[in-house]
Every structure is written in structure tokens, then in C-alpha cells.
Amino acid sequence: MDYSINSVVKKAILAMLIVSSFVITPPCQALSSKKEEKKEFKEDWKELKNHQASPKWFADAKLGIYFHWGVYSVPAYGNEWYPRNVHFKNRGIYKHHVKTYGNFDKFAYHDFVPMFKAENFNAAEWVQLFEDAGAQFAGPVAEHHDGFSMWDSEVTPWNSMDKGPHKDIVGEMKKEMDKHGMKFITTFHHARNLQRYSDRYEDEIANHKGRFQDSHYPYFPGTPPTTKDPELAYLYGNIPEAEWNEKVWFGKLKEVIDKYQPDIIWFDSWLDRIPENYRKKFCTYYLQEAKKWHKDVVIVRKQNDLPIEFTVDDLEKSRKNKIEKHVWMTDETISKGSWCYTDNLKVKPSEDVLHVLIDIVSKNGVLLLNVSPKADGTIPQDQQKVLRDMGSWLKKYGESIYATRPWYTFGEGPTKEPDGHFNNHKKFLKIKYTEEDIRYTTKKNTVFATILGKVTPKREYVLTAFNKANNDHYGKVKGVKVLGSKHKIKWKLKEDGLHLTMPKGMEEDMASVIKIHTQHL
């Protein structure tokens, strides 16, 4: 359903242009078009697998930043799942909502929209901050599970231009990103937004105890997600499934692709709830459009929701514990709890976030780091400090991160990462690296050994990865230096490894990098 006369006029003009193009197109041009069509991707997994999942620029980038920011930032309570959890009467968020705002018949989730003003949002300042942090790409959560689009949309009336901020957040970010020559990412979480329980409420209550896992909004009669209001239905996803798949799920993706040409499109979980033919349709359309733009783009997905041959695998709040052959990604947040801003949000120490990046890169991964702005459009100072601390370190030691590749081993030391995905995210949160932990990267004839902590002067460190048994991986050690320092380091290659004696004056608190020049035999 269109909500503006402009959209109708645009479609009419487009139809006239299409007709006229057939009238005036010369035969040679028509023949050329047919040749171009033969080069297009087909809506077929086998054909799509010809796309390179990770272009060189992405493998080189290592660090990107995105942000969970939207209507859910207004209550600033619990987490970004506030719009879902507020409907369950036995949960603390419901009790908080009733106490603070009143019952649903007086104040529902959509009533937060006018309060989401983003009055202090400044895209130029945000992009500068992200660049200062060392990010090579950045962008917004284009739409979370809640159905509110952060761009100027004609697909839905619930968008940041028509309501709330009255700003094209995606568009403003894209414009500034282009000025800085940074790659642009848009992330989509809207696969859960469809109301899938309107015709099976009784069965869900009886057999699954009303968890409503396939939809973001639970279906409790009398609450807003059950509305028949044609406008509210676009926020709460209460639209016939066939129409929603075409006009809403795919429609929003197509709109963002056409308007903003993102370099990366990233999907949250539950993409498997979308029919396979629509997943193929999206992939085909995005990759075909990217060819027209002459861009090497990236599709990131979770949990096997798309074939791995042409997509990048993402792990939420977790990491690999070995080197992966193909480039992969972790999305991790700067905080210890919610992905969106909350009044009690606790932010991780700068060194912990940096160590996660270093660990990921050593295993052929890329970090997508989330920040949590306030509803008014400000990024809190404690989060800014973490970003600037990381950026300061990367400015000095970025040679060991950007455009590097894994060595034959990712590292050594006592700290081990658990197996698994998001299910082990609490174990990952507890990991604390020390100067006993080393991570390796390589570039040409150089191996970088990064010590994850403040080194002890005059202490002897032994890099066992350089033991005689593994000589084939490094050949000869031609020289050793402390990256970013004039201090000379004493070193000696022995049978058990490379022995390093740290000089005085190494005052890097977060991590120190040893640059080792090698020559293969």
C-alpha cells in the first residue's frame, strides 16, 4: 500500500519512460541490451556461487562500526528487544512500562515514535569519530526487528523521514561516508517483523506456551500487534504473508539498494523464516545491481541462512578458536549488555575491545563493532573514549592489522576461546587476555607478534611458533624490532623458539607489537 501521491506519480512516469524507450531504442542498442542480459545473475544458487564472497578490500578492512539506534532507544530500558518484551505481562519490562507510561490502551510502542527526535544527530561528527576509531567501513542498523525504517522510505509510513526525527539517517550517513572514502554497510533484522500468528494464535498458546518465536511481536488479542489499522500494520507486521514478503521484506531491501548502493548488506538471524525464492531474489538483485555500479559487494549472514559459497559467515558475540580458510565476521558490541543505549549501560574497557579485534584478525576475521547512541543522537563519552583509544592504537600499530593475513598459527598463550556460537557468548565475555597471550599476523616477509597486554621490561619472552620444528613457515629471521618505537630489542632464535628481551621504555598499556622480518629458505 502506498502512502504518498508522489509514489503513484513516480510509477506513472516510470511506466511512460519504459514505453517510450521501446519506441526509440535503435536495433543495435536493443541487441547490446540482450547481450548484457546474458551476463546477468540468475535466481539460482548455483549461478550465485560465482560471486566472490570476500573481495580484497573487505579482507583488508578488518574493522567496521555500526549502531543500534532507533525508537527502542527512547525508553532506554532493558535492551533493543523492548518492543517485543513489553507485551509479556510477567516480565520486568512490562511492569516498568506500565509504571512509567501507563497501560497499552494509553501508551503503546508506536507512541514512542514522536519522542524519537534525534535532535543532536550529526552525521559528519559520527563518521569522523568512526574514522578516528580506525574503522574502514561503517553504517546503521537500517531496520531492526521493530519495523521502523531508518531511511526515507516509500514502502512504509514508519520511517525516519516521515516520522520521529524527520531525517534520512541512512542517506545522511551515506553522504558523509562517501566524503571520507569509507565503505558503507546497512544491516537488516526485519525477517522477524512479520506477524506469523494471526491465524494460529490458539495453537501457539496451547503447544508453545505463547512464546511466538517466529515473530518479533507476540500476538495477544487486544494489543497493537493484532491491529487491523492499515498504517499501524506496517509497524507491527500484521500484513498477509505473501504481500509482506514481496512489498515489505524484499521491497525495503530493494529500496535501500537502489537509493544508497551499500557495499555490505548484513542480515541478522531468522533469515530462514523468509521463503527461499525471496532470498534468491534478493541476492540476485543486489549482485546484479552491484555489477552495474562496478562494485565488489559483500553479503553477510548468520546460521547458514544463505549458502556460504558467496556469503560471509557472521558470529554474534563469539569468535573462532582456529584459523578459518574463508574470511568471516564477528558482530560484537562495545557494551557488556544491551546493543542499544540504556540508562544503566556498562561499557567494556578499551583494551578488551581492542584484544577482541586482534584475536579476530589473527584468525582471518573481521570485526563489526556496535555502538549505542542515545535517542537524542549523541554518542556517550564513555563509548567515544573506547573508540578513540582504539583509533590511537591503530594509528600507531595498524600495520599489524590492516591488509594482513593469518600466519600458519593464530597465536599462543594460556587463554583459550570456547567452541560454539552465540550460545557461548557469556563465556566469551569473561575472557581476559594478558601479556602471556600472543597473536600473529603476516604481510609479505613480515610476521607481527602482538602481545595482548602491557609487557614487562627486561623480561624474556619466548615465541614458540618460531621453534625449529616449524622452520618451514619462516625460514630465516633477518631482524626484529618493536613496532612504533625506537627502542631496540634483544633477540635470539633458538631451537625452542624466538627469544625476546623487552627493552625499558615500552609503555604501551593495551598491546605491544613486535615486527619480525623473515626470509624463506
Side-chain angles (χ1 to χ4, degrees), residues 167-181:
K167 299 174 182 179
D168 182 358
I169 304 299
V170 174
E172 291 188 31
M173 288 298 297
K174 166 68 174 175
K175 182 179 179 180
E176 292 300 324
M177 296 287 293
D178 286 348
K179 290 180 182 178
H180 288 250

Side-chain angles (χ1 to χ4, degrees), residues 152-218:
D152 182 10
S153 177
E154 293 183 14
V155 173
T156 174
W158 298 93
N159 67 80
S160 63
M161 179 59 82
D162 292 337
K163 298 182 186 296
H166 297 287
K167 299 174 182 179
D168 182 358
I169 304 299
V170 174
E172 291 188 31
M173 288 298 297
K174 166 68 174 175
K175 182 179 179 180
E176 292 300 324
M177 296 287 293
D178 286 348
K179 290 180 182 178
H180 288 250
M182 297 170 69
K183 299 291 187 179
F184 189 55
I185 183 173
T186 52
T187 78
F188 289 88
H189 312 237
H190 67 315
R192 281 179 60 93
N193 181 252
L194 174 64
Q195 179 50 255
R196 296 179 170 93
Y197 293 94
S198 58
D199 59 350
R200 52 190 176 108
Y201 166 74
E202 297 293 344
D203 178 69
E204 174 65 16
I205 292 295
N207 298 320
H208 303 284
K209 303 184 186 303
R211 292 192 295 267
F212 303 99
Q213 290 298 315
D214 289 342
S215 296
H216 192 57
Y217 291 107

Side-chain angles (χ1 to χ4, degrees), residues 166-434:
H166 297 287
K167 299 174 182 179
D168 182 358
I169 304 299
V170 174
E172 291 188 31
M173 288 298 297
K174 166 68 174 175
K175 182 179 179 180
E176 292 300 324
M177 296 287 293
D178 286 348
K179 290 180 182 178
H180 288 250
M182 297 170 69
K183 299 291 187 179
F184 189 55
I185 183 173
T186 52
T187 78
F188 289 88
H189 312 237
H190 67 315
R192 281 179 60 93
N193 181 252
L194 174 64
Q195 179 50 255
R196 296 179 170 93
Y197 293 94
S198 58
D199 59 350
R200 52 190 176 108
Y201 166 74
E202 297 293 344
D203 178 69
E204 174 65 16
I205 292 295
N207 298 320
H208 303 284
K209 303 184 186 303
R211 292 192 295 267
F212 303 99
Q213 290 298 315
D214 289 342
S215 296
H216 192 57
Y217 291 107
Y219 192 90
F220 295 121
T223 61
T226 68
T227 181
K228 299 300 181 184
D229 180 282
E231 182 169 296
L232 285 175
Y234 271 81
L235 181 69
Y236 293 109
N238 198 7
I239 295 171
E241 185 168 5
E243 180 183 352
W244 185 87
N245 286 331
E246 175 67 28
K247 296 183 178 180
V248 180
W249 185 81
F250 177 71
K252 289 178 176 179
L253 286 163
K254 183 178 183 300
E255 189 171 55
V256 168
I257 291 168
D258 292 345
K259 295 184 72 168
Y260 310 108
Q261 299 185 5
D263 299 283
I264 309 172
I265 291 183
W266 178 102
F267 289 103
D268 201 357
S269 304
W270 300 286
L271 199 61
D272 61 340
R273 302 320 194 256
I274 304 301
E276 185 177 23
N277 63 310
Y278 275 98
R279 283 179 275 161
K280 289 180 183 177
K281 186 173 183 176
F282 154 72
C283 293
T284 303
Y285 186 78
Y286 182 39
L287 297 182
Q288 193 59 57
E289 291 304 298
K291 285 179 66 177
K292 297 175 185 177
W293 311 330
H294 303 290
K295 277 188 176 184
D296 293 321
V297 298
V298 181
I299 300 173
V300 186
R301 90 312 188 253
K302 292 181 180 177
Q303 300 175 348
N304 303 315
D305 288 346
L306 291 171
I308 191 61
E309 288 84 354
F310 66 93
T311 63
V312 171
D313 190 27
D314 180 87
L315 286 72
E316 180 178 338
K317 287 190 174 183
S318 56
R319 307 191 288 283
K320 304 282 187 180
N321 56 15
K322 62 181 180 181
I323 294 175
E324 194 68 36
K325 178 181 178 182
H326 301 289
V327 178
W328 54 281
M329 176 182 278
T330 282
D331 62 300
E332 179 62 89
T333 185
I334 202 167
S335 75
K336 295 181 178 180
S338 170
W339 291 79
C340 79
Y341 176 79
T342 61
D343 290 336
N344 62 350
L345 194 69
K346 294 182 179 179
V347 175
K348 297 170 184 171
S350 302
E351 62 268 23
D352 288 1
V353 181
L354 176 65
H355 291 169
V356 168
L357 169 65
I358 295 168
D359 179 60
I360 288 170
V361 171
S362 72
K363 298 165 185 172
N364 207 23
V366 175
L367 173 61
L368 177 61
L369 180 64
N370 173 72
V371 296
S372 308
K374 292 183 176 182
D376 66 1
T378 57
I379 298 176
Q381 287 301 315
D382 55 353
Q383 296 182 47
Q384 289 197 37
K385 180 181 183 302
V386 173
L387 295 179
R388 296 188 192 284
D389 286 348
M390 286 184 64
S392 177
W393 189 93
L394 286 165
K395 187 174 182 179
K396 192 173 182 180
Y397 304 105
E399 183 184 351
S400 67
I401 298 294
Y402 303 120
T404 61
R405 295 296 182 266
W407 198 28
Y408 81 93
T409 178
F410 67 83
E412 55 193 79
T415 306
K416 305 298 181 184
E417 296 79 29
D419 289 316
H421 206 305
F422 179 74
N423 290 339
N424 275 330
H425 73 279
K426 291 182 179 179
K427 292 182 180 179
F428 280 99
L429 185 60
K430 293 178 180 178
I431 290 176
K432 190 77 174 179
Y433 296 102
T434 71

